[in-house]
Amino acid sequence: MTDLNEYECEMLDAVLEAFGIPDSLTRLQLLELFDQDETTAFAMVQALTREGFVAESGKHGDYELPEKLILKPKGEKFLKEGGFTQRYKLEQKKTVEVGGTLAKLQQQNMRLQNVKLANESQMGNLQKTIKNLQIRQYIYLVLIVFALIIGYLIGHFTN
């Protein structure tokens, strides 16, 4: 569950709330819920299926929406208890546990350190580029001043 953010939790709750009296949604209704974005709809359906809240019905491919989605009683009960949003909020309030979470924090720390190093490297490259451009700008300025002096001298001595 920790792989979902608050927005995704709200989207999953919206899908669960969209089930009507027959406790089912068609493929077209799902697409309408997600503004015809089949990729997002597919990801949300996979999350609901993984949790065991819905069952798929009808022919579909590996990466397509099913023809029909059926709400299981477990899903209805879960929604009445606050759904994904409530679960997300409770997880955010939990204190950080030592043990299993420590490994996750260490992994995240390593990932963030790698991102930091990459950003520092990129900053160094950008600073070198800026320095080179500034040097080039000074050279052009000196050349312009030199050309103006030569132009002035040529104009002054030819008259």
Side-chain angles (χ1 to χ4, degrees):
M1 174 57 198
T2 57
D3 58 333
L4 298 174
N5 62 36
E6 187 173 11
Y7 175 74
E8 291 167 332
C9 290
E10 290 171 359
M11 292 292 289
L12 288 168
D13 285 344
V15 172
L16 289 174
E17 290 169 358
F19 283 93
I21 298 297
D23 288 339
S24 65
L25 286 175
T26 65
R27 181 180 196 282
L28 294 175
Q29 289 171 318
L30 282 169
L31 286 172
E32 188 175 313
L33 271 173
F34 292 96
D35 293 327
Q36 306 304 317
D37 183 359
E38 188 167 359
T39 305
T40 304
F42 178 77
M44 294 295 127
V45 167
Q46 290 302 307
L48 291 172
T49 304
R50 183 176 60 236
E51 293 283 340
F53 297 144
V54 296
E56 298 177 1
S57 173
K59 295 181 180 179
H60 60 90
D62 289 341
Y63 301 103
E64 296 176 5
L65 290 172
E67 291 299 318
K68 190 184 240 185
L69 211 63
I70 301 162
L71 180 64
K72 291 182 176 180
K74 179 181 176 182
E76 191 172 343
K77 180 181 176 194
F78 178 72
L79 185 60
K80 287 179 182 175
E81 292 172 352
F84 286 96
T85 305
Q86 179 67 21
R87 186 194 289 177
Y88 177 81
K89 288 178 182 175
L90 289 174
E91 283 185 7
Q92 297 304 310
K93 289 180 183 177
K94 279 185 186 176
T95 58
V96 177
E97 298 174 16
V98 177
T101 308
L102 181 60
K104 288 181 184 178
L105 288 174
Q106 288 173 336
Q107 286 178 340
Q108 185 178 13
N109 187 26
M110 288 298 290
R111 185 181 56 80
L112 291 173
Q113 286 177 359
N114 289 339
V115 169
K116 179 184 174 190
L117 288 173
N119 287 339
E120 286 174 351
S121 172
Q122 188 177 14
M123 278 179 42
N125 290 338
L126 290 173
Q127 286 174 341
K128 285 178 187 176
T129 303
I130 289 171
K131 190 172 184 177
N132 288 338
L133 290 173
Q134 285 175 336
I135 290 171
R136 190 178 298 166
Q137 186 177 16
Y138 292 136
I139 291 171
Y140 289 148
L141 184 62
V142 168
L143 289 174
I144 290 171
V145 169
F146 186 68
L148 286 173
I149 292 172
I150 290 178
Y152 173 77
L153 292 174
I154 292 173
H156 184 70
F157 290 116
T158 57
N159 286 336

